Amino acid sequence: MMGIVFNLLEAAVCRTYGEARWYQLLDKAGLDGAYTSIGNYPDAEAFRIVGVAAEVLQLPPGEVLRWFGRESMGMVAERYSLFFTDHSSVRTFLPTINRVHNDEVRKLYPGALLPQFSFEDAPADTLRMVYHSSRSLCDLAQGFIEGTALVFKEQITVEHPYCKLRGDHQCRFDIRFRELMPANSPLVQD
Amino acid sequence: MPPDASDSTIAQLALLARRVEREHKARLAAEVLAEQGLRELYQAQQELRLLVSIADTANHASSITETLRFAVTSICNHTGWEVGHVYLNHQLPAPSPLRSARIWNDNLAPAFAELRDFIEQRRLVANDGWPGRVLAARQPLWIRDLAAERDADCWELRAAGQLRATFAFPVIIGEEVVALLEFSCTRVQDEDASLLSLLSKVGVQLGRAVERKISQDKLLYDATHDALTGLPNRQHFRQLLTQALLQAQQRNTQCAVLFIDLDHFKLVNDSMGHHAGDQLIIHVAQRVRSTLQRLEPIRHPDQYAQTLCGGAVVARLGGDEFTVLLENVTTESVPLQAAEQILELLKQPFLINGQEVYSGASIGIALSAPGYYSGDEILRDADLAMYQAKSRGKSRGKVFDRGMRDQAAKRLTIESDLRRALPRQEFLLNYQPIVALDNGEIIGFEALIRWRRAGVIVPPADFIPIADELGLIIPIGHWVLEEACRTLRDWQQHFPRQQPLTISVNVSPRQFRQPNFVSQVRQALHNAGIEPGALTLEITESATMGNPERAIATLLQLRDLGVKLSIDDFGTGYSSLSYLHRFPLHALKIDRSFIARIDGSFQSFQVVHSIMSLANNLGIAVVAEGIETIEQVGHLRALLCQFGQGYHFSRPLPQADVLQLLTRPVLCLTR
């Protein structure tokens, strides 16, 4: 797992629950937490932190991942604004993710295992996106999608009608768009 | 810590301390990653530099060995390995076992001399030692320690040279290994997968470079060689000649050029088809080569060994023209002797499509001498000499002399005048009466062409062969046919007879072989409005040579048209008696040479007598040509020869004089 993911998780936890809670999670997970953004770390460490967080917050691990995705996308947009400036909607941004992964992420993480997304025909108000990854972190992906909507101040609903974790043949998201949120509306918080 | 410090402050300090420690660790980890990244970047740049430099050298190098030498040195520098060596297919593009290219990067010499000698003598075959395994598998191979390999290639020797680790990779084009690069070092070294991967890429680059060089060489070869025979072409020969001339001048020696032209190539080509013509050219090329291979070998710097024949270069200039360049010629007798041998060999029959074909050749010889500034001048003079040889009766050689240049200039003028003669209406016909030998009556005339060139009459022998060579004989022959028929019509109108006057017209072989010749004759008869039976076409035996079946078909069509046919100059040519009975002939014309000797030579008398018998048996009339004396008339009458013509009766006359003659159409036959 890319070091940046650990950094984002740390930032999200610290911002919402305070730094002490992060150390609590690390201690419970038995990790020292010295993650650098350009490093690559075992997936198991991330899963351990998420597992401990689920225990502490008494939430299913999937919910924790979804929260993390939603929470961290604003930080991603701040840190890598270059990839967002040409877009004003989830609808145009999401289809560029594969390219961003291939062209940009691999520059820093040549061996990284990155998810790929494909898009299928859907009704006009819907973006149908299929998630491909051996890690099956579809809840995190859903959180990222929802977080992206927050960045663009869009109101969307994300349905997850098929999921490999539930035994389906694919992980699919149907993203429905509604009218724009008022510009000064507060961000939705979990 | 102050005594009122709260627990929260302590907790915050603990948090800060932990953050500092954690961030310090993260920084160290980041630095390690960054260093690793930089090292990898440097390594990638070095690899790229190696690849680019080899590709760049391959693009600009003048030879394959130059590229390989650079590659071996570069790889040794890149890896730090002490020894690099190349095996190469030296026969490219033909497949051939790999041998040492004697390209070494050897930082151990002379400790390594024994192994080096062994390798340089070696002919590498599949599975022979470990380079042989690379050859067989067409894959790179790495051996971490030669000393530990039981079947490693001559490991004792390598061990003696202290070599331990080794690797090799092939250079492949298509399916074939064209080169093999091997490297060794004095350390034991584990396999480096990324290095092998890089070297595979180098192998691909080198393969492309070799392939490109082969293509370039082939293009160059094709551009400088004749596709049919593989001999150097005109352009290449000119280069070699220029080079030879320069060397001859520097070394104060001589070189000679033989210009060879086949004597009967056109006949073979026209009568047996282009494929047969091509076959003849290939056979001739082989014979000329083999003749020259027997000559004293002289080294020549030409890179194409296959074009050399023991120091002489044979080239095909095009068509049926070949040239030979002889260097270090000491006397005129050397090229003359070569020419004689070539002529002798070319006189022998060639077997083409199961048929024996005779060609023969004429050879012109020119030797380099002071005053020659270019190869083209020698070539031109050899060509002139060849032309002289040909005009003096073919199948002979002739050495150039300066007088030939004047003759050539003269001929050039004749050629250009001849091209304009027809439109300028410079041709005219004379007519020689043909007489019935039993009563002296003029039965008809033979039309004979003359050329009035700048007011002077040129005899046919001086321009007909040239017109034939230039292809002008066809329009000229056509004009003669039309003109003779028109004239005959006028005479028939002025002098009507029971047995109308006839006209004989000579037809050249080339004219006769035209596909539309019969329709030309029909048209001429129609235009003039004369009966076909009043026209006799005189053809020579050579017109029927080559393709007798086609000749017979044409003759039959002419007979069906009603035209009469006679064989001219009978007895001088091939006298293809086997065909004679199949030709629908009306008459044979006995050549003047026999008539001239009929008085004094019993042999000539017998020849005429035999021809008469032959003609009688075949039901063919005989016309004797060149009758000059009353005695000849007597002999011919005694032999029952039906017709005759010659100065005894009348020289060929202008048209106006014929009208005069026809007022008394019976000539004197006795004293």
Side-chain angles (χ1 to χ4, degrees):
Chain A
M1 186 81 72
M2 297 180 295
I4 182 74
V5 177
F6 288 87
N7 291 164
L8 288 170
L9 182 58
E10 176 190 334
V13 170
C14 291
R15 198 168 69 182
T16 311
Y17 300 104
E19 197 175 358
R21 180 59 64 89
W22 175 244
Y23 288 121
Q24 187 193 357
L25 295 180
L26 287 180
D27 290 344
K28 262 175 116 60
L31 299 165
D32 72 354
Y35 299 111
T36 162
S37 68
I38 57 173
N40 225 330
Y41 302 93
D43 287 1
E45 293 190 15
F47 292 136
R48 239 148 69 202
I49 297 169
V50 169
V52 167
E55 231 177 273
V56 170
L57 298 171
Q58 294 191 319
L59 286 170
E63 274 307 303
V64 173
L65 284 170
R66 196 171 153 194
W67 166 82
F68 163 53
R70 218 161 38 220
E71 199 61 20
S72 58
M73 209 56 194
M75 290 183 279
V76 172
E78 221 168 83
R79 191 160 174 171
Y80 303 104
S81 58
L82 182 69
F83 306 125
F84 292 79
T85 45
D86 288 347
H87 304 280
S88 57
S89 168
V90 171
R91 187 184 276 280
T92 60
F93 176 77
L94 288 183
T96 66
I97 292 287
N98 287 334
R99 194 167 49 76
V100 171
H101 280 175
N102 288 331
D103 294 357
E104 303 298 333
V105 179
R106 288 197 196 283
K107 281 183 191 165
L108 289 177
Y109 305 95
L113 187 63
L114 296 168
Q116 291 290 300
F117 301 94
S118 57
F119 297 86
E120 295 182 353
D121 290 343
D125 66 339
T126 302
L127 182 64
R128 183 161 291 166
M129 181 167 144
V130 181
Y131 165 84
H132 308 273
S133 170
S134 57
R135 288 195 179 109
S136 289
L137 289 172
C138 45
D139 292 313
L140 180 59
Q142 186 172 350
F144 280 140
I145 295 167
E146 290 163 349
T148 309
L150 294 175
V151 169
F152 293 122
K153 299 184 176 64
E154 269 183 306
Q155 221 172 27
I156 61 168
T157 54
V158 181
E159 285 172 26
H160 191 178
Y162 298 104
C163 178
K164 281 192 165 178
L165 294 176
R166 298 198 299 263
D168 295 325
H169 70 290
Q170 60 173 200
C171 268
R172 193 179 96 187
F173 299 107
D174 285 347
I175 304 149
R176 285 216 177 74
F177 296 87
R178 279 176 272 154
E179 57 196 58
L180 280 174
M181 293 161 71
N184 54 359
S185 156
L187 298 185
V188 177
Q189 298 284 323
D190 216 6
Chain B
M1 190 176 294
D4 59 343
S6 66
D7 287 349
S8 74
T9 309
I10 294 167
Q12 267 191 347
L13 282 174
L15 273 181
L16 280 173
R18 193 160 177 187
R19 189 192 293 170
V20 169
E21 184 195 352
R22 203 165 51 86
E23 284 184 354
H24 176 66
K25 275 190 186 173
R27 198 195 80 208
L28 290 180
E31 282 168 359
V32 168
L33 286 170
E35 281 171 17
Q36 189 187 330
L38 287 173
R39 270 195 297 274
E40 281 171 5
L41 183 64
Y42 176 78
Q43 185 64 18
Q45 281 172 341
Q46 290 300 103
E47 289 179 0
L48 194 65
R49 196 164 292 155
L50 177 72
L51 266 178
V52 167
S53 65
I54 289 174
D56 204 39
T57 302
N59 284 335
H60 298 105
S62 59
S63 68
I64 293 169
T65 49
E66 188 185 332
T67 304
L68 292 171
R69 193 181 305 282
F70 181 83
V72 166
T73 309
S74 302
I75 292 169
C76 283
N77 290 341
H78 178 81
T79 55
W81 289 36
E82 288 93 343
V83 179
H85 167 250
V86 182
Y87 289 101
L88 180 66
N89 169 357
H90 293 262
Q91 303 293 319
L92 287 171
S96 170
L98 302 188
R99 288 174 188 277
S100 171
R102 295 172 191 261
I103 296 172
W104 290 94
N105 185 84
D106 182 1
N107 293 330
L108 293 180
F112 191 43
E114 201 180 345
L115 175 54
R116 207 171 147 141
D117 282 349
F118 169 80
I119 288 173
E120 289 191 352
Q121 299 304 319
R122 171 181 230 181
R123 180 172 166 269
L124 194 62
V125 289
N127 291 316
D128 171 19
W130 66 271
R133 274 155 55 195
V134 176
L135 186 63
R138 296 199 217 108
Q139 295 284 338
L141 180 74
W142 186 293
I143 294 174
R144 68 182 292 277
D145 185 6
L146 279 167
E149 290 278 316
R150 270 196 208 152
D151 60 342
D153 170 62
C154 58
W155 67 268
E156 307 94 326
L157 282 167
R158 288 185 188 254
Q162 299 166 333
L163 297 178
R164 303 299 291 272
T166 189
F167 68 79
F169 66 92
V171 176
I172 299 173
I173 298 178
E175 294 289 298
E176 204 197 336
V177 177
V178 293
L180 193 148
L181 283 73
E182 59 173 349
F183 299 86
S184 304
C185 73
T186 50
R187 308 177 294 279
V188 173
Q189 195 140 326
D190 287 332
E191 180 171 324
D192 180 343
S194 74
L195 179 60
L196 278 183
S197 155
L198 170 69
L199 295 175
S200 291
K201 287 176 199 148
V202 171
V204 170
Q205 286 291 346
L206 292 175
R208 284 185 192 142
V210 173
E211 205 168 14
R212 209 160 44 232
K213 191 77 181 67
I214 290 171
S215 307
Q216 281 171 357
D217 286 351
K218 182 165 182 340
L219 275 179
L220 184 66
Y221 185 87
D222 288 349
T224 53
H225 287 75
D226 168 47
L228 188 63
T229 58
L231 294 176
N233 61 15
R234 180 186 291 273
Q235 186 207 351
H236 190 30
F237 185 79
R238 285 174 63 204
Q239 286 169 353
L240 295 173
L241 181 55
T242 304
Q243 209 176 314
L245 189 61
L246 204 67
Q247 277 190 3
Q249 282 163 352
Q250 284 165 355
R251 295 177 187 169
N252 212 13
T253 58
Q254 270 192 305
C255 61
V257 170
L258 273 59
F259 200 110
I260 307 169
D261 187 276
L262 301 187
D263 288 337
H264 301 298
F265 176 68
K266 280 192 179 67
L267 188 64
V268 174
N269 221 14
D270 292 349
S271 59
M272 294 175 70
H274 290 298
H275 181 68
D278 285 353
Q279 292 301 308
L280 178 62
I281 292 294
I282 291 168
H283 284 299
V284 168
Q286 284 166 351
R287 284 195 192 176
V288 176
R289 262 175 156 166
S290 69
T291 312
L292 293 166
Q293 268 160 359
R294 291 198 294 265
L295 289 176
E296 182 84 12
I298 307 161
R299 291 186 71 79
H300 192 277
D302 183 28
Q303 57 179 316
Y304 299 112
Q306 63 267 40
T307 64
L308 297 179
C309 298
V313 180
V314 187
R316 182 184 176 211
L317 296 199
D320 59 346
E321 291 176 348
F322 294 85
T323 44
V324 175
L325 167 63
L326 298 171
E327 289 190 80
N328 294 330
V329 170
T330 44
T331 64
E332 197 177 282
S333 67
V334 174
L336 267 173
Q337 197 189 341
E340 267 169 34
Q341 288 182 16
I342 292 169
L343 286 171
E344 193 50 44
L345 211 58
L346 295 184
K347 263 184 208 162
Q348 308 305 317
F350 295 88
L351 196 65
I352 311 270
N353 297 342
Q355 205 175 321
E356 277 195 350
V357 173
Y358 290 84
S359 177
S362 303
I363 300 182
I365 301 160
L367 281 96
S368 68
Y372 277 120
Y373 296 102
S374 76
D376 284 351
E377 289 174 333
I378 302 186
L379 199 58
R380 180 200 60 202
D381 287 349
D383 189 8
L384 280 178
M386 184 281 295
Y387 181 78
Q388 285 290 319
K390 194 160 282 248
S391 64
R392 292 191 184 188
K394 301 185 176 176
S395 264
R396 64 180 68 203
K398 192 99 184 85
V399 180
F400 172 79
D401 68 59
R402 290 187 182 276
M404 290 178 186
R405 248 180 236 157
D406 303 334
Q407 287 178 18
K410 217 163 112 187
R411 180 185 153 110
L412 212 61
T413 321
I414 291 182
E415 280 183 13
S416 94
D417 287 353
L418 198 53
R419 286 180 203 281
R420 291 188 292 239
L422 203 55
R424 287 181 176 179
Q425 300 184 325
E426 290 177 352
F427 293 116
L428 52 103
L429 292 182
N430 279 357
Y431 302 91
Q432 188 171 39
I434 298 173
V435 177
L437 293 183
D438 57 351
N439 58 14
E441 189 184 1
I442 296 174
I443 57 132
F445 292 85
E446 178 180 357
L448 296 161
I449 191 167
R450 301 288 182 266
W451 176 21
R452 188 185 286 116
R453 181 181 178 223
V456 178
I457 297 293
V458 182
D462 287 0
F463 70 90
I464 290 293
I466 301 173
D468 193 29
E469 268 178 50
L470 298 177
L472 290 171
I473 199 73
I474 288 184
I476 293 173
H478 189 248
W479 175 83
V480 170
L481 182 65
E482 293 273 350
E483 176 68 13
C485 289
R486 269 197 302 272
T487 307
L488 181 68
R489 178 201 52 208
D490 293 347
W491 293 339
Q492 286 180 344
Q493 283 172 355
H494 280 91
F495 303 97
R497 296 171 165 209
Q498 197 170 2
Q499 194 64 38
L501 281 170
T502 63
I503 191 87
S504 295
V505 174
N506 292 287
V507 177
S508 75
R510 198 185 273 238
Q511 196 183 357
F512 179 74
R513 282 196 286 261
Q514 289 177 99
N516 64 343
F517 178 64
V518 177
S519 63
Q520 283 180 27
V521 174
R522 187 183 293 117
Q523 191 63 44
L525 292 167
H526 175 80
N527 291 347
I530 57 169
E531 287 300 315
L535 174 65
T536 300
L537 296 178
E538 297 190 4
I539 56 168
T540 56
E541 283 175 90
S542 59
T544 64
M545 288 290 293
N547 192 343
E549 297 305 327
R550 195 169 130 195
I552 290 168
T554 307
L555 291 171
L556 288 173
Q557 285 178 46
L558 291 168
R559 184 199 61 188
D560 293 347
L561 187 62
V563 169
K564 290 187 173 137
L565 300 162
S566 75
I567 291 279
D568 205 5
D569 305 333
F570 191 78
T572 57
Y574 301 88
S575 301
S576 47
L577 298 177
S578 55
Y579 287 109
L580 201 56
H581 71 281
R582 294 179 60 196
F583 293 163
L585 298 176
H586 296 84
L588 289 181
K589 292 189 86 170
I590 302 180
D591 189 68
R592 60 180 65 246
S593 57
F594 299 110
I595 306 303
R597 288 177 306 205
I598 200 168
D599 300 327
S601 158
F602 176 71
Q603 247 176 345
S604 290
F605 184 87
Q606 280 301 322
V607 170
V608 176
H609 181 61
S610 303
I611 294 173
M612 289 299 310
S613 307
L614 179 73
N616 274 334
N617 290 337
L618 294 171
I620 299 173
V622 173
V623 183
E625 285 185 289
I627 300 174
E628 291 185 353
T629 66
I630 192 77
E631 286 78 16
Q632 289 165 352
V633 175
H635 285 304
L636 289 163
R637 276 163 63 104
L639 285 169
L640 299 177
C641 178
Q642 296 98 322
F643 305 104
Q645 66 185 93
Y647 274 42
H648 171 69
F649 302 116
S650 168
R651 61 184 174 83
L653 301 169
Q655 195 179 340
D657 295 354
V658 172
L659 294 173
Q660 183 74 28
L661 185 69
L662 282 173
T663 54
R664 286 186 57 217
V666 177
L667 301 174
C668 180
L669 294 174
T670 54
R671 261 183 240 275

